Amino acid sequence: MNSILKNKVIIVTGGSGLLGKEIIKDLCAKGSIAINADINVSTDFEKQTLKVDITSEESVEKAIMSVIDFYGKIDGLVNNAYPRTKDWGTKFEDITYESWQRNIDMQMNTTFLFIQKVMPELLKTKGSIVNMTSIYGVVGNDLTIYENTSITTAAPYSAIKGGVINFTRYLASYYGRQGVRVNCVSPGGIFDNQHETFVSNYEKKVPMGRMGNPDDIAPSVSFLLSEEAKYITGQNLIVDGGWTSI
């Protein structure tokens, strides 16, 4: 077993999701105690699960304290949860202001909340944070890949992911001298049994010729949390098969 994260206690929000499961798997394979912090699990530290509603300040505070009470420390945080409204993907001109505000609140503002609440513990351990972002926080959307499919792209997504990337840079500057590192991982498109036309359209634009898989992404998260990345902070690691290189 690769032990670059041996005995590191790392919270992964949204650990029950497609990427979250693989991130936790990879973190554990590298020696860490990776905790699935998700609204759809019960708190059971024998199973390394932690029930938390990331949109609730009270729930986040309670979750963090329960980890401290059980493990005595927190070494890392992965902001991976991806809550969104039922009308996610609505055409830009049809998005209500209420929906826009709600999605910003559920995704961007909860990133701020969890980081602010966990930071006192990370300052003690000289810990590390990885924010999961996206290539669509870096480049504009290629709308041609959605042609002849029912798949849509959500306008708030680009705003949120771009905002989190620059917020990450701010945090890296603010906490760098105190020993806490903050980075992003920006995946490209991840295969999830999408419409075959979409997959074909997407893969034509990837230099490596395929969509990503969760196990393409997870190792980059583990790396950034580890001491192998001890001099890396404020960076956005793009893992996209070359999509943004052309």
Side-chain angles (χ1 to χ4, degrees):
M1 181 178 72
N2 186 333
S3 58
I4 61 172
L5 289 167
K6 186 176 181 179
N7 297 326
K8 297 289 187 182
V9 177
I10 299 169
I11 298 173
V12 180
T13 68
S16 297
L18 183 68
L19 282 178
K21 288 178 182 177
E22 195 64 34
I23 290 169
I24 288 174
K25 179 182 176 182
D26 195 76
L27 289 171
C28 290
K30 290 167 181 170
S32 80
I33 301 165
I35 302 166
N36 175 11
D38 198 291
I39 197 169
N40 296 313
V41 299
S42 59
T43 297
D44 183 346
F45 288 123
E46 297 302 321
K47 296 180 180 179
Q48 295 174 203
T49 57
L50 176 66
K51 186 175 181 64
V52 59
D53 177 0
I54 64 169
T55 68
S56 163
E57 185 173 7
E58 180 182 1
S59 180
V60 169
E61 289 175 343
K62 181 180 177 181
I64 291 169
M65 287 313 302
S66 67
V67 174
I68 294 300
D69 289 344
F70 191 86
Y71 294 104
K73 64 170 185 169
I74 297 172
D75 298 291
L77 168 68
V78 182
N79 280 304
N80 173 71
Y82 183 35
R84 50 206 182 274
T85 57
K86 292 181 179 179
D87 65 345
W88 186 254
T90 299
K91 288 183 179 180
F92 177 77
E93 56 268 29
D94 295 329
I95 298 171
T96 65
Y97 187 48
E98 180 183 11
S99 173
W100 180 273
Q101 287 181 308
R102 181 63 178 149
N103 282 299
I104 296 290
D105 197 39
M106 286 197 298
Q107 294 184 44
M108 182 186 289
N109 295 345
T110 56
T111 297
F112 154 79
L113 175 63
F114 218 116
I115 290 174
Q116 187 188 61
K117 297 302 181 182
V118 82
M119 187 58 73
E121 303 305 324
L122 295 181
L123 288 168
K124 296 174 187 176
T125 59
K126 307 301 181 186
S128 181
I129 296 170
V130 172
N131 294 320
M132 299 304 296
T133 49
S134 169
I135 56 170
Y136 278 166
V138 180
V139 297
N141 296 55
D142 184 345
L143 299 180
T144 64
I145 63 174
Y146 304 99
E147 291 176 355
N148 301 315
T149 78
S150 60
I151 301 173
T152 59
T153 181
Y157 188 75
S158 296
I160 292 162
K161 296 305 186 182
V164 171
I165 289 169
N166 219 38
F167 180 48
T168 297
R169 297 185 182 114
Y170 168 83
L171 292 168
S173 297
Y174 195 85
Y175 287 107
R177 291 184 181 275
Q178 297 175 70
V180 175
R181 298 181 300 104
V182 190
N183 291 288
C184 297
V185 170
S186 284
I190 303 300
F191 180 73
D192 189 21
N193 297 303
Q194 294 97 332
H195 191 286
E196 61 182 13
T197 300
F198 170 82
V199 174
S200 176
N201 289 343
Y202 190 94
E203 290 182 340
K204 287 175 185 176
K205 296 178 176 291
V206 183
M208 292 188 71
R210 65 175 177 85
M211 296 190 73
N213 295 307
D215 64 358
D216 293 317
I217 309 303
S220 62
V221 177
S222 298
F223 165 69
L224 287 173
L225 290 168
S226 78
E227 285 301 299
E228 292 187 348
K230 64 184 179 180
Y231 198 53
I232 300 174
T233 195
Q235 300 305 305
N236 179 30
L237 179 54
I238 300 174
V239 188
D240 67 351
W243 172 280
T244 55
S245 69
I246 58 175

